Amino acid sequence: MSKLLRLLGGATLAAMIAWPVVAAEAIKPAAREWSFNGIFGTFDRAKAQRGYAVYKQVCASCHGVKYLAFRNLTAIGFTEAEAKALAAEAQITDGPNEEGEMFQRPGRPSDRLPMPYANDAAARAANGGALPPDLSLITKAREHGPDYVYALLTSYSDAPRGMTLPAGMTYNKAFAGNQIAMPAPLTEGQVEYIDGTKATVAQMAEDVVVFLHWAAEPNLEARHRLGFQAVLFLLALTVLFWFVKQRVWGDQH
Amino acid sequence: MSGAPRRQYTNPVIRWIEYRLPIFSTVEATIGADMPTPKNLNYWWSFGGLLTLALVIQIVTGIVLAMHYIAHGSMAFDSVEHIMRNVNSGWLIRYVHANGASLFFLAVYVHIARGMYYGSYKYPREILWMLGVVIFLIMMATAFMGYVLPWGQMSFWAATVITNLFSAIPVIGEEITTWLWGGFSVDSPTLTRFYSLHYLLPFAIFGVTILHIWALHVHGPNNPTGIDVKGPQDTIPYKPYYTSKYLSVFSAFMMVLAVLVFFEPNYLGHPDNYKPADPLQTPAHIVPEWYFLPFYAILRAIPDKLLGVIAMFGSILVWFILPWLDTSRVRSGRYRPLFKQFFWLLVIDFLVLMWCGAQPAEGPALIVARIATAYYFLHFIVILPLVGWFERPKPLPESISTSVLGSGAAAPKAAE
């Protein structure tokens, strides 16, 4: 019976590991190499800055990143002057002033990035009833987030023959159900990169994913840095404690 | 040294206080004394101390989080992101708190399994064991309510599913549910009361833990042989032997926590909880945290709602009568060849239930869940009493010290 038990236990463990926790509805996106993966992972500053350009010129017309302020942008390599200039391009509603009126003023670094719509109802009204989600946490709010967002942005194509799409829907094979309310957002050359990088759809998708993952997890680099030190310290401490134990128990042999 | 009724203290400040309020001698006599400990405790006995450490980590990080968190339906999610982004080291404190809860449960499951394998619940430690079950129940309530606080999609829908269980109570079920919610659905009032209770219950755990340790100190810990201490040759002082033995375990535990927190902080969480709660949109699969999965599987395995709820709570409440369900007079599974097999079968059964809890309740997974649920109860209610009668235990060693010094096959590790 003991052998049978061991077999059973092994089979259970193997099944638990091999089986996905919840049967995924959508196809698992292809795993990509990201600079932020791994225990020493960091954000590629050039990609993140280009990604900001993609966000601002393409995504921002429908999607907000409500937890980001302009001052945060210095973390992906913009200088303070650049962050200030980027903020000043935005018009922010402030107020009320002494007359009790709301007024418009140029943005400051402490301002959050402007939202595309005044409220959810306005966002739905402008998008045929669909609500474009806020992108601040998008890479953490989806399974395999960065890979998924990349796959989504690069998987638009014509619907297979025989498939009719409802009005306002677009075919996307990375999206659950293959019908998505967001029309293909990226087209070749759509964004003019100031560093001269060629703006292919794949390039823009990759850049914007780096930017969005930074937006979702801005402390990733600090976390990795501190983590390496903490784990190394605790490893040494564990070994030292083990020697202490050997020493203390020495007289019990 | 220990066991002396009134100790004379040399420190004049302590003497001064002790004369007026005998707190030092009381603490020493109940939970703080350096007790003579069986000399053969293995590393599985370190998990009790480890759980105390885990509780302290949760309370300390939790108090800091509470300084920045806002328990309101329209602000909770934003306040958590505020902690993650703007509070100094807020991300670290929150990730430690969230992953610390998971490791707390991992440690408590090991601790419970150790108690079951070595028969630690048997005479004269029944109350010690039952207090442990009470702690586990409060832990579950605390963890559940804590998971609701970030007010993400999974928070909201987990709260909805679990509070709805109470509507299965006949006649007054609906009223009770409304009373629990503070309204007609899970909403801001529900969140606020969960927050209040999530802050309160850890201190209840702390209190019951003191009773648990007090009961432990009365007869001392059980040990891998399960036989009683027969004299000083069987024991060694807890300090420095076990403190030094378990320090490396504590440190290794912190290392595992650090690996999770710093390198995979969201591995044990669910992506849906990074979407703000939306009462109008039900997630495709509502799944609890991994540590509740076995009980969730039991709940869903039974087609009737009320019976499902009873089975789910019953699966833990049955532990209360475990000391009387196990009819064997031999404590340790080490000398119980038949019991040992069934113990490991139960562990496998628990893991199978855990897997089932993560699957949609349909098709083969549901059938597996039903079989595993039936076996779970069969183990406690039928197998355990019968094994005690029919099993022929192996001969017990004469004493703890002979088992340590003996042929070496019995307990080689503990003597190192």
Side-chain angles (χ1 to χ4, degrees):
Chain A
M1 183 153 177
S2 183
K3 248 184 207 156
L4 184 74
L5 253 180
R6 231 163 269 165
L7 203 71
L8 213 63
T12 312
L13 276 182
M16 285 178 78
I17 293 164
W19 233 294
V21 172
V22 170
E25 312 135 73
I27 321 100
K28 186 171 179 270
R32 292 179 61 81
E33 292 275 326
W34 298 104
S35 66
F36 47 75
N37 284 349
I39 61 169
F40 298 113
T42 52
F43 294 112
D44 183 319
R45 298 293 190 278
K47 284 182 185 171
Q49 291 188 25
R50 287 200 301 266
Y52 172 67
V54 176
Y55 167 75
K56 189 176 148 194
Q57 293 175 40
V58 184
C59 319
S61 53
C62 301
H63 296 275
V65 276
K66 62 175 176 179
Y67 297 120
L68 275 194
F70 287 103
R71 65 181 165 84
N72 297 136
L73 293 172
T74 56
I76 49 170
F78 288 106
T79 62
E80 280 192 31
E82 283 168 333
K84 207 167 178 174
L86 289 169
E89 289 172 23
Q91 282 298 305
I92 304 288
T93 308
D94 201 349
N97 60 16
E98 285 164 3
E99 282 82 46
E101 306 289 333
M102 302 303 277
F103 60 91
Q104 296 278 308
R105 61 160 175 79
R108 293 190 286 254
S110 58
D111 286 316
R112 301 272 182 106
L113 269 58
M115 299 290 282
Y117 302 105
N119 52 57
D120 284 0
R124 282 187 193 279
N127 289 283
L131 178 66
D134 189 88
L135 298 181
S136 307
L137 288 165
I138 200 77
T139 60
K140 282 161 79 176
R142 299 290 182 278
E143 294 279 359
H144 315 288
D147 294 333
Y148 171 78
V149 175
Y150 178 85
L152 190 80
L153 292 174
T154 53
S155 295
Y156 282 93
S157 62
D158 292 327
R161 269 205 295 182
M163 183 175 177
T164 42
L165 292 162
M169 289 295 191
T170 315
Y171 182 79
N172 186 316
K173 64 178 188 297
F175 191 68
N178 295 350
Q179 302 176 18
I180 186 166
M182 172 169 75
L186 300 173
T187 48
E188 176 107 23
Q190 187 176 5
V191 175
E192 204 172 313
Y193 282 142
I194 48 171
D195 65 358
T197 306
K198 197 162 176 292
T200 61
V201 169
Q203 182 69 49
M204 289 184 287
E206 182 169 338
D207 291 347
V208 81
V209 166
V210 174
F211 169 73
L212 289 175
H213 196 55
W214 165 74
E217 190 71 9
N219 290 302
L220 176 138
E221 292 181 357
R223 177 156 65 72
H224 286 173
R225 225 172 17 244
L226 189 58
F228 181 68
Q229 297 164 2
V231 171
L232 213 61
F233 170 79
L234 287 165
L235 186 68
L237 195 66
T238 307
V239 171
L240 281 177
F241 280 147
W242 190 78
F243 280 118
V244 169
K245 182 249 169 189
Q246 292 302 94
R247 187 78 179 268
V248 169
W249 283 73
D251 63 357
Q252 289 290 317
H253 277 293
Chain B
M1 193 196 295
S2 68
R6 274 284 178 269
R7 204 180 126 187
Q8 284 304 308
Y9 294 91
T10 44
N11 184 319
V13 179
I14 292 180
R15 277 171 84 124
W16 189 92
I17 298 169
E18 180 72 14
Y19 185 67
R20 287 151 183 85
L21 176 74
I23 187 163
F24 296 100
S25 57
T26 307
V27 167
E28 278 204 358
T30 51
I31 62 168
D34 183 8
M35 57 179 176
T37 312
K39 54 166 62 169
N40 61 338
L41 298 190
N42 56 31
Y43 282 104
W44 298 116
W45 261 263
S46 66
F47 280 78
L50 197 55
L51 285 162
T52 315
L53 175 70
L55 178 63
V56 170
I57 291 174
Q58 291 306 97
I59 288 180
V60 170
T61 52
I63 287 173
V64 178
L65 289 173
M67 295 172 186
H68 304 282
Y69 171 78
I70 302 168
H72 187 280
S74 61
M75 287 180 268
F77 192 90
D78 286 350
S79 77
V80 171
E81 277 309 308
H82 165 70
I83 290 169
M84 293 297 288
R85 290 156 192 273
N86 302 325
V87 172
N88 291 334
S89 301
W91 59 270
L92 175 61
I93 295 162
R94 174 163 177 263
Y95 278 154
V96 168
H97 196 71
N99 288 286
S102 267
L103 286 191
F104 201 166
F105 272 93
L106 184 68
V108 89
Y109 284 137
V110 173
H111 189 62
I112 293 168
R114 191 271 291 155
M116 287 184 176
Y117 183 80
Y118 291 110
S120 300
Y121 45 82
K122 292 188 188 179
Y123 172 87
R125 297 186 182 82
E126 297 93 332
I127 290 188
L128 170 60
W129 168 260
M130 290 159 86
L131 286 168
V133 180
V134 170
I135 293 173
F136 180 65
L137 285 171
I138 311 176
M139 248 181 91
M140 293 182 86
T142 309
F144 160 66
M145 287 191 265
Y147 190 63
V148 173
L149 301 186
W151 213 233
Q153 271 290 69
M154 269 310 153
S155 298
F156 180 89
W157 290 97
T160 303
V161 169
I162 300 300
T163 50
N164 257 313
L165 296 180
F166 292 89
S167 69
I169 300 169
V171 189
I172 51 166
E174 294 290 330
E175 313 246 305
I176 288 187
T177 315
T178 308
W179 176 72
L180 283 175
W181 285 336
F184 296 101
S185 66
V186 173
D187 206 342
S188 201
T190 326
L191 173 64
T192 314
R193 64 190 55 191
F194 277 19
Y195 176 56
S196 170
L197 294 172
H198 182 71
Y199 205 121
L200 169 72
L201 290 182
F203 296 96
I205 295 179
F206 199 83
V208 184
T209 301
I210 289 175
L211 297 181
H212 189 69
I213 297 173
W214 185 5
L216 170 74
H217 278 237
V218 177
H219 293 282
N222 183 27
N223 67 82
T225 66
I227 57 177
D228 290 327
V229 168
K230 298 214 168 75
Q233 73 282 1
D234 288 343
T235 65
I236 41 172
Y238 195 89
K239 285 174 269 183
Y241 290 104
Y242 286 111
T243 35
S244 72
K245 183 164 180 169
Y246 295 155
L247 271 176
S248 56
V249 179
F250 296 172
S251 168
F253 173 84
M254 296 291 284
M255 193 166 66
V256 175
L257 179 61
V259 167
L260 274 174
V261 164
F262 290 110
F263 301 124
E264 281 295 342
N266 295 304
Y267 177 71
L268 297 166
H270 196 292
D272 271 6
N273 229 24
Y274 281 110
K275 298 177 190 166
D278 183 353
L280 300 176
Q281 199 170 29
T282 317
H285 301 290
I286 302 174
V287 280
E289 293 278 86
W290 69 268
Y291 41 82
F292 288 146
L293 288 173
F295 307 104
Y296 191 55
I298 292 174
L299 170 77
R300 297 187 309 171
I302 294 176
D304 181 80
K305 191 177 176 185
L306 178 61
L307 290 178
V309 174
I310 291 172
M312 183 178 72
F313 285 110
S315 65
I316 298 162
L317 295 179
V318 72
W319 296 351
F320 275 114
I321 52 168
L322 185 55
W324 297 276
L325 289 171
D326 185 347
T327 49
S328 174
R329 296 176 67 181
V330 176
R331 285 202 194 100
S332 173
R334 187 181 278 178
Y335 307 105
R336 301 185 58 192
L338 201 53
F339 166 85
K340 197 192 278 184
Q341 315 277 343
F342 283 112
F343 169 82
W344 288 111
L345 259 183
L346 180 71
V347 171
I348 291 169
D349 187 63
F350 192 75
L351 293 176
V352 167
L353 280 170
M354 192 177 278
W355 175 81
C356 292
Q359 311 302 319
E362 60 197 23
L366 183 59
I367 296 167
V368 174
R370 286 183 174 154
I371 296 169
T373 301
Y375 181 78
Y376 181 91
F377 286 102
L378 197 73
H379 172 90
F380 285 104
I381 295 169
V382 180
I383 294 174
L384 218 46
L386 288 182
V387 165
W389 280 321
F390 289 112
E391 182 181 52
R392 180 185 277 267
K394 288 194 216 162
L396 296 176
E398 219 135 280
S399 72
I400 291 171
S401 59
T402 55
S403 90
V404 171
L405 301 170
S407 60
K413 265 172 271 162
E416 277 168 18

